[in-house]
Amino acid sequence: MSGSLKLGTQKETIKHTGSPFDTTTASLTKRAGGHEGLAPRAIDVAAFSHSKQVEKPSPKKFLKRGTGIGGMLAPVATTTVVKKSKPKDFQAFSERPNPPNTQLRRFYERGDLPVQIDHGGVHNRIAWKVDIQKLDFHHYLPIFFDGLREMEMPYAFLAEQGVYDMLSAGSAKVLPVIPQLIIPIKTALNTRIKGVIVKVLKVLQALVACDQGTDGQALIGQALVPYYRQILPILNIFIRNNDNLGDTIDYGQQRRENLGELIVETLEAFEVNGGEDAFINIKYLVPVYQSVVVT
């Protein structure tokens, strides 16, 4: 052959067609919310010891003979190009890996979830094949919470709408399942993806208020207080993430996607429904938070 043929490895693609008859092949090596996707940075030795890295001076940094303007009557016009400093990409705000390996995706593709999408009317709905009151919340509710970090259809819609349906129909059965929901909530928040965090915050607001209509005790909000250490650190990072629009109009305000305002609303819901120990625990993890309960 006259020409040279170069062979390369084919990039692995994730198979997702949205059909329950096709299974998703996801990599099991990446952990959701892990640090594998972050670019490594040089370690600053001066931050951990008294030693300091000093750059060796180069002769090119000094003026040479005939290049200065000293002694001249008229200064020579020189154009200096000022390089704009690139803003620092703080890794605390950067997105983490979010592999498609949720339990909801695996169970839905296997046909083990008693749900199907009802494509009727203006908005899609979930058609439950079993009465929600008869479901085992210890088994199904953590599965739907684990799917909150999904960003592909139909998994994202099934997870979000499924959680809302179970919270509204079976609010009395949610309280014993709270310890099983913490890890899925923490994993979804650790992805640091804005769309996922907004979705989880709206679900948390519905979670702490779902048992108010039964007896008014708000026991779910009090049951979440011991788990603030797992939930609130990510909220403390993004609480100042507000959209500065100046004098313009935010036409998307009705969608409630401003992350900073949504975090404040969620913390206020935690304090109102969390009992007398809620504020001191919120203040310990989010120091900038101010109480809204009038004493």
Side-chain angles (χ1 to χ4, degrees):
M1 296 178 64
S2 58
S4 60
L5 181 62
K6 295 183 180 180
L7 298 178
T9 58
Q10 185 178 4
K11 185 179 180 181
E12 181 182 358
T13 57
I14 298 176
K15 179 182 178 183
H16 52 278
T17 61
S19 173
F21 301 103
D22 296 333
T23 58
T24 303
T25 56
S27 176
L28 300 179
T29 58
K30 289 186 177 181
R31 181 176 59 88
H35 301 271
E36 294 85 359
L38 300 178
R41 288 187 174 183
I43 299 176
D44 186 9
V45 182
F48 305 97
S49 62
H50 296 287
S51 59
K52 184 178 180 181
Q53 291 182 348
V54 180
E55 185 180 357
K56 185 177 180 180
S58 174
K60 296 181 180 180
K61 292 185 177 181
F62 302 96
L63 291 176
K64 297 181 180 180
R65 181 179 179 183
T67 57
I69 59 174
M72 297 184 180
L73 296 177
V76 181
T78 58
T79 58
T80 57
V81 179
V82 179
K83 294 183 179 180
K84 294 183 178 180
S85 60
K86 183 180 178 181
K88 293 183 179 180
D89 184 17
F90 296 102
Q91 295 187 355
F93 301 98
S94 58
E95 297 182 358
R96 302 294 196 268
N98 186 20
N101 55 359
T102 60
Q103 294 184 8
L104 181 131
R105 181 184 290 251
R106 180 163 56 91
F107 278 87
Y108 180 73
E109 291 177 347
R110 209 166 62 181
D112 290 344
L113 293 180
V115 293
Q116 65 183 16
I117 300 179
D118 183 12
H119 301 279
V122 180
H123 302 286
N124 294 335
R125 294 178 299 176
I126 290 183
W128 292 86
K129 302 177 183 178
V130 183
D131 187 10
I132 301 180
Q133 299 288 345
K134 299 179 181 179
L135 289 176
D136 184 8
F137 273 51
H138 286 275
H139 175 70
Y140 286 105
L141 192 58
I143 292 176
F144 281 93
F145 265 84
D146 188 41
L148 289 176
R149 61 182 178 89
E150 286 283 355
M151 303 182 65
E152 301 172 4
M153 294 297 177
Y155 313 104
F157 170 75
L158 285 171
E160 186 177 7
Q161 192 61 40
V163 167
Y164 285 127
D165 290 349
M166 296 184 72
L167 292 181
S168 60
S171 58
K173 304 172 66 175
V174 176
L175 181 61
V177 198
I178 292 297
Q180 298 176 246
L181 306 179
I182 303 304
I183 292 180
I185 293 173
K186 180 182 177 182
T187 304
L189 292 176
N190 280 338
T191 59
R192 288 171 168 81
I193 301 175
K194 181 180 178 181
V196 176
I197 297 178
V198 168
K199 188 192 309 182
V200 174
L201 291 177
K202 293 179 181 179
V203 169
L204 287 175
Q205 294 182 20
L207 177 64
V208 298
C210 70
D211 62 340
Q212 288 183 350
T214 56
D215 51 3
Q217 295 182 3
L219 297 178
I220 294 179
Q222 299 179 24
L224 285 175
V225 175
Y227 304 104
Y228 282 173
R229 290 177 178 268
Q230 284 75 29
I231 300 175
L232 299 189
I234 303 298
L235 274 60
N236 184 36
I237 295 175
F238 292 95
I239 193 171
R240 295 298 189 187
N241 193 346
N242 292 310
D243 297 332
N244 187 4
L245 302 178
D247 57 350
T248 58
I249 301 175
D250 184 10
Y251 292 99
Q253 189 176 8
Q254 58 184 357
R255 296 193 299 266
R256 298 172 61 219
E257 294 180 354
N258 192 342
L259 192 55
E261 295 180 358
L262 196 58
I263 289 175
V264 174
E265 293 178 9
T266 306
L267 295 177
E268 292 175 355
F270 280 0
E271 183 187 1
V272 172
N273 299 281
E276 57 183 6
D277 296 332
F279 172 71
I280 189 63
N281 286 276
I282 295 174
K283 189 69 174 179
Y284 178 75
L285 296 167
V286 188
V288 298
Y289 176 74
Q290 300 296 327
S291 177
V292 294
V293 178
V294 179
T295 58

